[in-house]
Amino acid sequence: MAISLSHFLLAKSLLLSLVQAATVTYDFDIGWVYANPDGQAIRPVIGINGQWPIPTISVTKGDRLIVNVQNSLGNESTSLHFHGLYMNGTNHMDGAIGVTQCGIAPGSSFTYNFTVDQPGTYWYHSHAKGQYPDGLRGPLIVHDPEDPHKDLYDEELVLTFSDWYHDLMNPLLAFFMSVANPSGAEPVPNSALVNETQNLTISITPGRTYLVRMINIGAFAAHYIWFEDHTMQIVEVDGSYTEPTDADMIYMTAAQRYSVLITAKNNTDANFAFVGAMDQDLFDVVPDGLNSNVTGWLVYDDSLEKHPPKDVNAFEPFDDFSLVPWDKEELYDKVDRTIRLDLKMDNLDDGANYAFFNDVTYVRPKVPTLYTVLSTGPNATNPTIYGSNTNQFLLEPNEVVEIILNNDDPGKHPFHLHGHTFQVISRSDDEAGFYDPSSSSSFPSTPMKRDTVLVRPNGNAVMRFRADNPGVWFFHCHIEWHVVSGLVATIIESPLSIQSQLANKIPSDHYDTCLILNSPTAGNAAGNTQDLLDLTGEFRSPGELPAGFTARGIVALVFSCVAAFLGLGVISWYGMMPVKAKTG
Ligand SMILES: *[C@@H]1O[C@H](CO)[C@@H](O)[C@H](O)[C@H]1NC(C)=O
Ligand SMILES: *[C@@H]1O[C@H](CO)[C@@H](O)[C@H](O)[C@H]1NC(C)=O
Ligand SMILES: *[C@@H]1O[C@H](CO)[C@@H](O)[C@H](O)[C@H]1NC(C)=O
Ligand SMILES: *[C@@H]1O[C@H](CO)[C@@H](O)[C@H](O)[C@H]1NC(C)=O
Ligand SMILES: *[C@@H]1O[C@H](CO)[C@@H](O)[C@H](O)[C@H]1NC(C)=O
Ligand SMILES: *[C@@H]1O[C@H](CO)[C@@H](O)[C@H](O)[C@H]1NC(C)=O
Ligand SMILES: *[C@@H]1O[C@H](CO)[C@@H](O)[C@H](O)[C@H]1NC(C)=O
Ligand SMILES: *[C@@H]1O[C@H](CO)[C@@H](O)[C@H](O)[C@H]1NC(C)=O
Ligand SMILES: [Cu+2]
């Protein structure tokens, strides 16, 4: 009997998955619209089908997702990246410009088409340099009929947290990456948003338990988040289910997600505030009058007052390092390859401030790295062909990879790897310096898994994953300013397997947009198809500072040159700027 029962159950679950695997199609016309989410400034934002905020993508695990994109921006290329999705076998649908595709040119269209085989809370956003903070960012939810926590809640909610700028990214970027900003100070957001608005009210039914899916879709700021008088029980981070774990306050960096269970009170005597407080440590200067908090309310009775939030004395958020994944995946204890990335910020000889891994700042290659893999045959295993400024690392199939990230910068950085979740096996406090493998021997037996991890100021973190997903995967800080300043590495996983998976499978619309943009689609990073070792003409970063000059000295020198060139106006203008030590 036992055997036939299990056969019956197996048949039933097969049947369920067959019935449920659907094709979900979205037609997205991406274009400019106007919005004023914080009530302080109306500005152009990037919307979809004439709407902003943009729609939530919602699928069920196992579904095929098709997103037909029409770029109607007129003046910018675009792309969509589906943050956290593995894109297993569909690396070309990952959406990162310069890595897996060319930009979708203004006026052209492009179809993303892939299956989703992982549950949880994700988001989608433009992966064109610096673009998503202009508004092209929204939730992507993958429902799971087999969610292990599903009996614990009655209803689900989605809340996005973000930062917001009154200016568009283009002018902000022009200032950020310029000699006028030698310390690399990131533009400070003008306000904080929840669901791309403020003062959001959520109507609550007494006694119910809610699964609240929270996503930081911001450009820069992490948020401290708490719900007054309600405990959060964490059940998922970044698409990985966790053992339910209580928290009063969480810290959610840009691009991270938390699903928490919140049980409503049994009475309707009061309403309760919830707060997203941007982490001001990230800001070099806190402008006068900045409200770095966003408030919303759990509304039990709309006729009762929605009082302002109480002051919190100190931010003492839950430490996600202690989370235990639901599947109890064991520590990868045998490492086949170690990638060490030493992070620093410094000036190059154009006077602007850049971000570096191992003294190399990322510059997009002429040919998207995936297309280099696909067009170079056996030479695809030679790292040189991917260029001088791509921070490329080649992986062998199925090896266990360890990334050691040493943060030689006083800022906090949230690191994200495309195509994988990783085990976070070690993470230091602030100021711990570089990771010392010899003094670190004990790791959690079932480490937390995420796809985006906070690395602390002048501290370090160590991540491990298995190379079981052939593809070219970006590894980068998810502070969008730092993507632009070059804090990026390219992980080229199993290039020969990529060739066998994707040879002749790239749809023509992918290559067509390259043609429109005059971008080569074959050859090495410089677009050379004859001599793959000849990188003449590749995109490079500006030159290094001359030896013997300190960064500070060269910045002063650059400034006096600029001042001499442009005249005294610049000196007096520069004298008025707050010059502060670099953080973030
Ligand atoms: C939200 O409420 C605060 C406090 O009343 C107000 O200052 C702010 O302008 C409101 N935001 C929006 C978008 O209306
Ligand atoms: C693109 O168009 C928008 C909307 O008209 C405008 O606000 C923005 O400045 C333009 N961007 C560029 C790079 O020209
Ligand atoms: C999506 O991909 C599947 C599998 O390759 C293919 O059968 C289907 O025709 C594609 N659909 C679209 C709209 O491109
Ligand atoms: C918040 O935004 C999400 C995504 O757009 C939406 O699904 C949800 O209903 C919103 N929540 C509230 C309370 O309006
Ligand atoms: C609400 O009432 C139920 C049933 O009496 C009880 O089990 C539950 O603990 C109560 N919830 C709270 C938050 O007090
Ligand atoms: C934001 O919230 C924090 C914590 O309660 C508080 O200390 C701070 O004063 C608030 N900021 C504003 C502008 O209200
Ligand atoms: C990708 O698919 C392969 C083959 O089905 C599987 O072994 C591997 O675990 C998958 N990788 C990820 C990251 O899902
Ligand atoms: C590929 O690499 C080999 C040496 O490993 C070299 O002889 C050959 O010329 C390369 N192919 C091209 C097209 O450059
Ligand atoms: Cu960063």
Side-chain angles (χ1 to χ4, degrees):
M1 284 312 283
I3 288 170
S4 62
L5 180 64
S6 71
H7 270 128
F8 169 74
L9 288 176
L10 183 68
K12 192 171 163 231
S13 69
L14 272 178
L15 196 67
L16 269 177
S17 53
L18 282 179
V19 168
Q20 281 157 354
T23 295
V24 180
T25 302
Y26 290 86
D27 295 320
F28 282 172
D29 188 0
I30 297 177
W32 293 101
V33 297
Y34 284 85
N36 184 5
D38 63 2
Q40 296 176 41
I42 184 159
R43 52 153 285 179
V45 302
I46 300 179
I48 289 180
N49 302 336
Q51 301 287 314
W52 190 86
I54 62 174
T56 295
I57 292 179
S58 179
V59 297
T60 299
K61 185 169 176 283
D63 286 352
R64 175 171 293 280
L65 174 59
I66 294 176
V67 182
N68 297 310
V69 174
Q70 170 68 37
N71 179 2
S72 299
L73 290 169
N75 59 5
E76 291 182 21
S77 293
T78 191
S79 80
L80 293 181
H81 168 62
F82 305 86
H83 181 114
L85 297 188
Y86 297 146
M87 295 294 165
N88 199 341
T90 50
N91 183 219
H92 55 305
M93 299 296 180
D94 197 45
I97 294 179
V99 187
T100 59
Q101 67 167 88
C102 297
I104 307 170
S108 61
S109 55
F110 190 103
T111 295
Y112 294 96
N113 174 359
F114 52 88
T115 55
V116 183
D117 203 17
Q118 51 191 128
T121 309
Y122 302 88
W123 61 302
Y124 69 104
H125 61 83
S126 162
H127 223 297
K129 202 171 181 178
Q131 191 178 58
Y132 81 78
D134 281 336
L136 192 48
R137 55 186 194 185
L140 189 164
I141 308 299
V142 187
H143 296 281
D144 180 9
E146 278 136 33
D147 174 359
H149 307 297
K150 69 166 177 292
D151 295 336
L152 301 178
Y153 60 88
D154 306 297
E155 210 177 301
E156 64 174 79
L157 300 169
V158 176
L159 295 178
T160 64
F161 292 77
S162 48
D163 43 24
W164 189 247
Y165 293 89
H166 294 160
D167 292 317
L168 275 78
M169 286 302 278
N170 260 303
L172 289 174
L173 286 164
F175 173 77
F176 173 62
M177 291 306 295
S178 77
V179 66
N181 183 29
S183 72
E186 302 81 5
V188 176
N190 299 96
S191 48
L193 305 176
V194 165
N195 270 20
E196 308 281 29
T197 184
Q198 295 178 330
N199 309 317
L200 183 76
T201 56
I202 304 177
S203 164
I204 295 293
T205 307
R208 294 200 129 192
T209 298
Y210 293 85
L211 176 75
V212 185
R213 299 176 181 273
M214 296 188 278
I215 313 169
N216 186 337
I217 62 172
F220 181 18
H223 284 245
Y224 296 96
I225 297 165
W226 65 98
F227 293 77
E228 290 190 350
D229 269 324
H230 290 70
T231 302
M232 293 175 272
Q233 189 172 49
I234 300 166
V235 293
E236 181 224 318
V237 288
D238 298 356
S240 293
Y241 292 125
T242 66
E243 288 285 297
T245 308
D246 285 353
D248 292 324
M249 178 189 282
I250 59 167
Y251 184 83
M252 186 162 69
T253 73
Q256 287 185 329
R257 291 87 66 208
Y258 281 85
S259 286
V260 301
L261 299 175
I262 294 180
T263 297
K265 301 194 178 296
N266 283 333
N267 59 66
T268 58
D269 298 349
N271 299 321
F272 296 87
F274 67 91
V275 183
M278 295 193 292
D279 178 2
Q280 300 202 13
D281 285 358
L282 292 157
F283 306 156
D284 290 56
V285 182
V286 180
D288 285 344
L290 172 71
N291 180 2
S292 54
N293 300 343
V294 59
T295 305
W297 285 271
L298 303 178
V299 177
Y300 285 78
D301 180 344
D302 203 28
S303 69
L304 296 176
E305 202 195 334
K306 298 177 196 79
H307 61 82
K310 299 181 206 107
D311 240 21
V312 171
N313 298 330
F315 293 120
E316 282 165 356
F318 173 80
D319 183 358
D320 59 336
F321 189 73
S322 64
L323 288 170
V324 174
W326 179 258
D327 66 6
K328 306 285 191 306
E329 183 185 73
E330 285 178 18
L331 171 75
Y332 293 127
D333 54 1
K334 192 186 142 296
V335 173
D336 301 304
R337 182 186 303 269
T338 295
I339 294 174
R340 175 173 157 177
L341 297 172
D342 296 349
L343 180 174
K344 69 165 191 188
M345 304 282 190
D346 206 349
N347 299 82
L348 290 176
D349 68 7
D350 64 348
N353 194 277
Y354 290 82
F356 302 80
F357 281 139
N358 306 337
D359 298 322
V360 175
T361 186
Y362 179 86
V363 179
R364 175 173 78 73
K366 276 190 177 163
V367 177
T369 303
L370 172 63
Y371 297 168
T372 295
V373 171
L374 293 175
S375 60
T376 53
N379 284 322
T381 57
N382 181 350
T384 308
I385 69 171
Y386 299 103
S388 313
N389 274 100
T390 56
N391 280 316
Q392 65 277 48
F393 294 90
L394 273 74
L395 306 183
E396 299 283 339
N398 286 312
E399 61 186 0
V400 171
V401 182
E402 174 175 87
I403 297 180
I404 298 176
L405 207 139
N406 292 316
N407 180 10
D408 196 9
D409 175 75
K412 301 173 182 174
H413 301 275
F415 278 98
H416 170 50
L417 173 62
H418 290 210
H420 289 277
T421 51
F422 42 68
Q423 299 182 336
V424 184
I425 68 153
S426 174
R427 178 171 57 192
S428 80
D429 290 334
D430 296 13
E431 307 303 327
F434 282 17
Y435 177 70
D436 176 3
S438 65
S439 73
S440 318
S441 51
S442 83
F443 303 116
S445 55
T446 53
M448 86 144 143
K449 290 194 279 187
R450 312 200 64 130
D451 62 40
T452 307
V453 65
L454 171 71
V455 183
R456 299 202 169 104
N458 292 112
N460 62 70
V462 183
M463 291 77 85
R464 288 182 184 168
F465 65 96
R466 183 178 294 283
D468 62 358
N469 191 16
V472 182
W473 307 116
F474 237 20
F475 177 80
H476 63 93
C477 176
H478 221 294
I479 290 175
E480 191 64 359
W481 305 111
H482 300 167
V483 175
V484 173
S485 64
L487 203 43
V488 176
T490 313
I491 308 291
I492 302 164
E493 180 173 334
S494 316
L496 301 180
S497 317
I498 302 174
Q499 290 176 355
S500 53
Q501 278 184 355
L502 295 182
N504 306 316
K505 292 234 177 82
I506 309 295
S508 57
D509 56 350
H510 291 223
Y511 290 133
D512 291 348
T513 189
C514 300
L515 275 172
I516 296 168
L517 295 171
N518 254 320
S519 289
T521 54
N524 65 15
N528 191 334
T529 53
Q530 301 306 311
D531 181 356
L532 296 175
L533 300 178
D534 178 3
L535 289 161
T536 309
E538 67 171 330
F539 295 146
R540 297 294 313 263
S541 63
E544 283 177 26
L545 297 171
F549 285 84
T550 62
R552 183 185 298 238
I554 218 58
V555 167
L557 181 74
V558 167
F559 259 93
S560 53
C561 295
V562 169
F565 186 64
L566 293 178
L568 235 101
V570 173
I571 298 177
S572 51
W573 171 76
Y574 178 60
M576 283 160 31
M577 297 290 291
V579 182
K580 284 194 54 178
K582 173 87 191 87
T583 62

